[in-house]
Amino acid sequence: MSKKMMVTNEFQREWVERLEAQTEAFKEHRAENDRNSSFPKRNVAQLVEMGYTRLPMEKALGENDMTMRDFVSFQETIGAMDSATALSIGWHQGISGEIFDKKLWNDEMTQFLADEIRGGALINRALSEAATGSPTRGGKPGTVAVRTENGWKIDGRKSFTTMSPVVTYFLVSAWIEENQQIGTFLVPKAAEGVTVIETWDMLGMRASESHDLLLENVEVSDAYYVERDPKSRNDALNPWSLHIPACYLGIAQAARDEALRFAVTYQPNSINTPICELPNVQQHIGQMDIELMQMRHLLYGVADILDDDARKENVTTEMAVAKYTVTNGALSVVDRAMRLVGARSLQMSNPLQQMYRDVRAGLHNPPMDDMTIANTAKAAIVEMKNILG
């Protein structure tokens, strides 16, 4: 089933068309940004100008009718156009949606954030640290917050702060000794003591500029201590995390399209037809499309469940399984696309080599594969024990 067949309402159709109208503009500097490890600022600025970055907030506030299916479709569309743009803006979309949906902040700060986002502000969490690795593993952050007379002083260093060149506010996790727990602070990028250290030099998602964030004696008021109970996030589903697999599904679709275009147009002088008529090439095409159908049905199916208040109460591992299935499936599709195209796919001028590098980043976005497999097994065991009484 093609992506277009997943469009089910006018709101979704309108936004997909608006996004697709930016295809050439978004692709224009893709290779250059990847080569120079430079952030796609023009793309993100265009999304802000279009009002895209307001959609999750507006949904939570009852100002639009966007569904999770719509959201997945939008992120997949951007992922096919430019992977770094999709993953980067996806964090803002997912985080802002979570904050407003779960009502994580008090009314005053929630209104403050709404006004800032309407004014074009971008937000991302700064959670990872070199010493603790992924925060989903449960490590205590080395970043610390100490109470002061006027609020809090924060010191620490974060890694993997995606979209750092354009983020307006970082949501920084820090250990609070007096509470013996982790708190989250809203830290303006413009605050004194905040420095982006340009460390990002990775094989994949090079243009995301996910640099380190250094905080030295950064002072914020008590109002900016926005998330005081870690359980407020951890004990509830965050459907907005589906932006991750949606991005990689978009990359896989783009790789398939690139390979199919090559197969239909390339005709070596050794045969009388384009290579798309060869049985072995058709095997690759067919298998890519089958895998894309499987991934798309699962991801959109989970999104549909999350749009249904009655059914989403029973969701346990489905979101994680969707991420696991799509990211690994996307790797397979890109690999097949490159096998079809052959050695040309390794040329630096060929977009497939960037897709191959970027799609691997999905393995390292949360949740990790081993945790998904283990948690799925545990859920199955608990279910069977309940059945057996």
Side-chain angles (χ1 to χ4, degrees):
M1 180 175 285
S2 71
K3 176 180 178 295
K4 289 186 177 179
M5 294 177 70
M6 309 305 282
V7 175
T8 58
N9 61 71
E10 191 57 36
F11 180 86
Q12 185 184 3
R13 182 176 294 104
E14 176 189 342
W15 267 101
V16 167
E17 290 177 355
R18 289 184 66 189
L19 292 168
E20 287 181 337
Q22 302 298 321
T23 299
E24 292 307 313
F26 276 28
K27 287 183 176 181
E28 183 180 1
H29 298 285
R30 184 173 63 186
E32 178 186 354
N33 289 338
D34 175 68
R35 183 169 58 252
N36 298 328
S37 194
S38 55
F39 190 77
K41 292 180 180 179
R42 295 183 186 180
N43 297 357
V44 171
Q46 181 61 34
L47 292 172
V48 172
E49 178 68 23
M50 292 168 63
Y52 183 71
T53 54
R54 302 195 302 266
L55 291 182
M57 174 191 71
E58 291 172 346
K59 168 183 165 54
L61 297 177
E63 297 173 6
N64 68 43
D65 297 322
M66 183 172 69
T67 64
M68 293 313 302
R69 169 182 278 261
D70 298 340
F71 176 59
V72 165
S73 178
F74 303 157
Q75 287 298 128
E76 180 191 349
T77 300
I78 301 171
M81 293 154 57
D82 184 65
S83 50
T85 301
L87 187 63
S88 298
I89 208 65
W91 291 117
H92 166 88
Q93 300 292 78
I95 291 163
S96 60
E98 179 187 30
I99 290 168
F100 287 94
D101 265 352
K102 293 184 182 180
K103 297 178 172 60
L104 294 181
W105 301 5
N106 64 38
D107 291 345
E108 180 182 357
M109 290 304 293
T110 299
Q111 184 60 53
F112 171 80
L113 182 63
D115 292 341
E116 289 293 290
I117 290 175
R118 288 192 177 99
L122 296 168
I123 190 169
N124 196 5
R125 291 189 182 274
L127 304 177
S128 297
E129 298 181 4
T132 60
S134 171
T136 60
R137 302 287 185 182
K140 184 175 79 172
T143 301
V144 297
V146 178
R147 191 184 295 276
T148 67
E149 183 178 347
N150 299 315
W152 298 86
K153 180 172 69 71
I154 307 169
D155 288 277
R157 183 164 177 159
K158 298 293 186 177
S159 53
F160 299 110
T161 52
T162 300
M163 200 168 55
S164 58
V166 297
V167 167
T168 316
Y169 294 99
F170 294 102
L171 273 171
V172 176
S173 60
W175 180 252
I176 303 174
E177 187 66 28
E178 67 179 65
N179 297 341
Q180 287 292 295
Q181 70 175 24
I182 298 171
T184 302
F185 296 83
L186 184 67
V187 177
K189 184 182 178 182
E192 186 175 352
V194 174
T195 307
V196 173
I197 309 294
E198 296 188 356
T199 54
W200 191 247
D201 187 21
M202 304 292 265
L203 182 71
M205 287 292 177
R206 290 178 54 78
S208 69
E209 287 207 50
S210 304
H211 298 302
D212 284 9
L213 180 69
L214 180 64
L215 304 112
E216 298 177 294
N217 297 318
V218 176
E219 295 190 7
V220 296
S221 70
D222 190 59
Y224 280 58
Y225 181 8
V226 288
E227 295 172 15
R228 304 187 179 224
D229 180 8
K231 292 183 179 180
S232 64
R233 289 193 64 225
N234 299 335
D235 289 353
L237 293 172
N238 180 22
W240 301 98
S241 65
L242 290 184
H243 81 86
I244 298 171
C247 168
Y248 295 103
L249 178 58
I251 298 173
Q253 182 68 52
R256 173 266 192 192
D257 292 348
E258 185 67 29
L260 186 58
R261 187 178 302 109
F262 177 81
V264 170
T265 59
Y266 178 60
Q267 181 178 334
N269 61 14
S270 57
I271 58 176
N272 296 321
T273 64
I275 63 170
C276 63
E277 303 300 330
L278 300 177
N280 63 315
V281 171
Q282 291 181 0
Q283 283 290 308
H284 283 307
I285 296 169
Q287 288 179 306
M288 283 191 293
D289 273 20
I290 289 170
E291 287 186 278
L292 283 165
M293 289 180 196
Q294 292 170 334
M295 290 186 283
R296 190 166 281 120
H297 274 290
L298 175 59
L299 180 58
Y300 281 76
V302 171
D304 286 341
I305 292 173
L306 294 170
D307 283 325
D308 186 332
D309 289 339
R311 290 195 294 164
K312 74 179 182 182
E313 295 300 321
N314 297 317
V315 168
T316 54
T317 60
E318 284 82 356
M319 286 192 297
V321 170
K323 186 267 177 180
Y324 168 88
T325 302
V326 172
T327 51
N328 284 281
L331 278 166
S332 175
V333 169
V334 176
D335 179 70
R336 287 194 182 280
M338 297 183 76
R339 289 173 185 267
L340 188 160
V341 173
R344 285 180 173 82
S345 67
L346 296 175
Q347 292 174 333
M348 292 305 292
S349 59
N350 192 305
L352 283 172
Q353 55 79 25
Q354 182 185 342
M355 295 174 193
Y356 178 73
R357 290 182 287 107
D358 284 353
V359 80
R360 289 202 62 84
L363 297 176
H364 310 291
N365 293 140
M368 308 308 175
D369 286 0
D370 62 326
M371 293 181 67
T372 295
I373 294 168
N375 289 337
T376 302
K378 290 173 184 176
I381 292 168
V382 168
E383 182 181 24
M384 182 53 68
K385 286 182 176 179
N386 290 335
I387 292 173
L388 297 176

